[in-house]
Amino acid sequence: MTTRRMERLGGIVIAVMGMLLTVWNWHLALSEGRFYEHAAIFGPVLTIMGLGLVIFPGYRTKRQACSEDLDRLSGAASIAAQWWGLLAIAVGSGLINLAALKGWR
């Protein structure tokens, strides 16, 4: 299997796990009146980041395709700009989900 296919497969698995976590947490909130705050944030984050892996190339792949030298970069410095935007959207959606669940109580 190619690296891109593995990224997409991993993205699907991550997105499905995030969706299941979000649905389970909402079910818990609606049926029992309680929920987990960490799950309320991480469910949407996992879903959006997983879908990002399906849609976009990996966080370093785009920069490598542009022949950028990533040898001296480590950690956050090697992440492409589109992934920073996607992360901001993901965290924002997690916080909105948490606010919606807290309003539901």
Side-chain angles (χ1 to χ4, degrees):
M1 235 184 218
T2 65
T3 303
R4 182 67 187 127
R5 281 189 178 181
M6 291 299 293
E7 283 179 356
R8 285 185 173 160
L9 180 61
I12 290 169
V13 170
I14 292 168
V16 168
M17 286 176 22
M19 283 184 237
L20 290 173
L21 186 61
T22 303
V23 168
W24 170 74
N25 212 24
W26 270 97
H27 172 72
L28 197 61
L30 294 173
S31 64
E32 298 182 21
R34 64 184 181 93
F35 64 92
Y36 296 98
E37 290 185 0
H38 287 92
I41 295 170
F42 288 121
V45 168
L46 288 174
T47 302
I48 291 173
M49 295 306 284
L51 291 174
L53 273 173
V54 172
I55 297 168
F56 302 117
Y59 71 96
R60 290 179 60 137
T61 307
K62 183 176 181 184
R63 293 184 75 172
Q64 288 171 333
C66 295
S67 300
E68 290 186 43
D69 182 23
L70 300 177
D71 290 337
R72 289 186 226 116
L73 300 178
S74 64
S78 65
I79 298 174
Q82 70 190 14
W83 282 97
W84 284 113
L86 192 64
L87 181 61
I89 292 168
V91 170
S93 69
L95 294 174
I96 289 169
N97 187 47
L98 177 62
L101 281 167
K102 282 189 173 190
W104 183 263
R105 262 197 212 177

